[in-house]
Amino acid sequence: MLALAAFSFAFAANPYLDRVLVLINADSPVSVALGADYLKQRTLKERLLIHCQDSSLDAGKETITYENFREEIETPLRAYLSKHPKIDFIVLTKGIPIRIQGAPTGLGNNRPSLDSYLAALDYDKAPGAFKIVINEGAFKGTCWANRFWDSRERFSHAKFGGYLVTRLDGYTEDDARMLVRYSLQAEKQKPAGEILLDSKASYPADQLTTQPVPVFARQPDPNNPGKAELADLEYKHYDMDMNKAAEVLKGRVPVQLDTAPEFVTGQDLMGYCSWGSNDPKFNATNYHQLRFAPGGIAETAVSTSGRTFLPTTGGQSLIADLIQDRVTGVKGYCDEPLLTAIASPTILFDRYTKGWTLAESFYAASRWTGWEDIVIGDPICQPYGR
C-alpha cells in the first residue's frame, strides 16, 4: 500500500502529466523505443500511436506527402486532441518524417516542416491570426505569424492556439535518448555554465533599443485581409540581437559575447548562438568541439541546419552535430527559413533563464509558425525553474 501511495504521488507531482502528448510511429522500432522511454522517464501518460513511413533509417523517407500526412498523422491526432483539450505540448520521436511535401504553407507554398505545421494547427480559426506572404527573390511561400511571439505570459493552447511541438531526434537512437537524460539531469543541479554568443560585430547600446525586431511584415493588403507581405531582416539585426541578449543577461547568468572574427568554441555551455557555417570564419573543428552542460540550448543562423537527422556529408552545418555534442535543446530548419525565422537570442535566453520551459523559450523567440522550424528536445525541460 505504501509503494502504491508513493507511485500515485509521483504522478500527481508532475504538473505536465496531462499537458504533454507523445506521438509514436508504431511502424518504427526506434520511435516506439524512444516514446516508451520518454513516457517512463517523465512519468507521462498521454501517448498516441500512429502508422506512417519510418524515417529513422532512410533520408528519402524524412519527407512525407501531404496526402499521407493528413491520413496517417493529422486525422488521428485531431481526433485525439478533440478529446484531450489540456494538451499544450506535442513531442515527436525519431522515425516520424521531418517535412511535408504538398502542404498549404511552407517554402514554395508547399514544403513546411511537419513539426511547425502541427504547431499551427487551427491557426486558420484563431482570432487575430494572420498569414505572412513570403516574396523574397527566389524564396516564396506562406506561413503564420506566431501568436506566442515575445509573450510575457506562459503558454497554453487555450490562450494562444496551436501547440508547442518538439522532437526527440539525432543521428542515432542513443543521441535522441540522451536528450531526455540531459533534461532530467539539468533539473537536479544548479545551472553554472555560461551562454556563448558568437557575433560577427559589436554595437553600441543605443543601437540595441529596437532589438529584437518584431514580426517583420509590411502592412497587410487591404484587398486580402488576414495576410501581410514579408520584409526580411538584415544580417546586422541578428548580430545586434546577440548583443542585446548579452546586455539583458549580464548579471543574471554567466555570458560571453564574442565579436572577434574567429569562430570560437566553448565547453560546459548552458547556451550557444552563432552563424554556424554561415560565419565567414567558420571552423568545423571548433564547431564539433562545442560541449554543453545538461540543460544547454542552442540556435544557429543556418538555412538548412535541420535538413536531415541521418549521417551525411557536405552542405551547411547541422544541428544533429550539436546533439552529439550533448546539447539538450536546439532549433534548426528543414529548408530555407529566411533570417526572420531564426529564433531571437534575446528572447530565447531571457525566457529560459527566467525558468520557462525549453519549448516555451524557443517558441516565444520564433516569429513564424507553419514554416520550416524544428525544435529539438524535451519540451518541459526547465533547469532555471527549479
Side-chain angles (χ1 to χ4, degrees):
M1 185 62 124
L2 180 61
L4 179 59
F7 181 77
S8 299
F9 174 77
F11 269 79
N14 187 339
Y16 298 100
L17 182 62
D18 56 0
R19 296 180 63 196
V20 180
L21 171 62
V22 184
L23 207 59
I24 300 170
N25 182 3
D27 296 334
S28 169
V30 170
S31 180
V32 171
L34 286 171
D37 179 71
Y38 181 58
L39 288 162
K40 178 182 178 181
Q41 295 298 324
R42 276 296 190 186
T43 64
L44 301 170
K45 65 177 184 179
E46 304 294 348
R47 68 163 191 166
L48 174 63
L49 293 176
I50 59 169
H51 295 269
C52 68
Q53 64 200 48
D54 180 4
S55 64
S56 66
L57 299 174
D58 183 350
K61 293 183 178 180
E62 288 186 299
T63 301
I64 188 171
T65 65
Y66 183 59
E67 291 75 19
N68 288 346
F69 162 78
R70 288 288 304 276
E71 177 182 351
E72 299 164 356
I73 300 176
E74 183 179 2
T75 297
L77 177 59
R78 283 186 178 278
Y80 190 95
L81 293 172
S82 68
K83 298 177 181 178
H84 298 80
K86 292 184 179 180
I87 296 297
D88 292 324
F89 305 90
I90 299 175
V91 181
L92 309 180
T93 43
K94 186 174 183 66
I96 295 175
I98 64 174
R99 68 172 64 79
I100 305 170
Q101 181 66 48
T105 66
L107 187 67
N109 291 327
N110 67 4
R111 203 167 61 242
S113 77
L114 189 150
D115 311 46
S116 192
Y117 191 85
L118 290 181
L121 275 184
D122 292 331
Y123 255 51
D124 58 334
K125 302 179 183 68
F130 69 92
K131 276 189 174 180
I132 294 178
V133 178
I134 295 156
N135 186 12
E136 286 288 307
F139 303 111
K140 305 179 188 301
T142 58
C143 60
W144 292 96
N146 180 11
R147 300 181 73 233
F148 189 56
W149 156 257
D150 200 15
S151 174
R152 265 55 174 187
E153 181 179 343
R154 303 290 290 271
F155 182 83
S156 73
H157 167 73
K159 171 71 176 181
F160 294 97
Y163 298 90
L164 303 191
V165 180
T166 69
R167 172 180 292 267
L168 302 177
D169 216 325
Y171 286 133
T172 67
E173 178 183 336
D174 284 343
D175 284 349
R177 192 183 297 264
M178 290 308 295
L179 293 165
V180 180
R181 299 300 189 276
Y182 298 144
S183 175
L184 292 168
Q185 187 178 344
E187 294 171 3
K188 297 177 182 178
Q189 61 192 51
K190 182 178 179 180
E194 75 172 10
I195 293 174
L196 173 59
L197 307 166
D198 190 1
S199 172
K200 292 188 294 184
S202 61
Y203 294 87
D206 63 332
Q207 291 189 29
L208 307 181
T209 56
T210 59
Q211 298 299 318
V213 175
V215 175
F216 215 50
R218 302 185 181 103
Q219 289 297 319
D221 183 346
N223 298 318
N224 291 285
K227 289 187 177 181
E229 187 177 348
L230 165 81
D232 197 18
L233 291 178
E234 299 176 40
Y235 291 156
K236 67 178 182 181
H237 287 134
Y238 190 59
D239 279 321
M240 293 172 73
D241 203 333
M242 280 192 265
N243 278 247
K244 180 63 174 288
E247 182 181 272
V248 168
L249 296 172
K250 188 177 180 180
R252 184 193 306 176
V253 295
V255 59
Q256 176 188 353
L257 175 66
D258 187 283
T259 58
E262 291 73 24
F263 187 85
V264 297
T265 191
Q267 303 293 309
D268 297 321
L269 299 174
M270 281 301 296
Y272 174 73
C273 190
S274 79
W275 288 89
S277 57
N278 283 327
D279 191 306
K281 296 288 186 177
F282 177 68
N283 184 309
T285 299
N286 285 353
Y287 182 76
H288 291 289
Q289 288 180 348
L290 289 163
R291 292 295 180 271
F292 294 86
I297 61 172
E299 170 66 299
T300 59
V302 177
S303 300
T304 58
S305 58
R307 65 187 178 276
T308 185
F309 291 91
L310 294 170
T312 187
T313 58
Q316 296 180 303
S317 55
L318 289 163
I319 59 172
D321 292 320
L322 299 182
I323 297 171
Q324 280 195 328
D325 295 338
R326 306 173 190 170
V327 80
T328 301
V330 62
K331 187 163 179 266
Y333 308 87
C334 67
D335 216 320
E336 173 59 57
L338 300 183
L339 188 55
T340 308
I342 307 298
S344 160
T346 299
I347 298 173
L348 172 64
F349 295 120
D350 173 67
R351 302 303 191 275
Y352 196 56
T353 58
K354 283 181 175 177
W356 286 30
T357 64
L358 180 152
E360 288 174 310
S361 302
F362 275 109
Y363 275 87
S366 301
R367 297 172 178 86
W368 302 341
T369 190
W371 190 232
E372 311 300 323
D373 314 42
I374 296 176
V375 178
I376 294 292
D378 173 8
I380 56 177
C381 175
Q382 48 184 152
Y384 293 92
R386 297 292 176 178

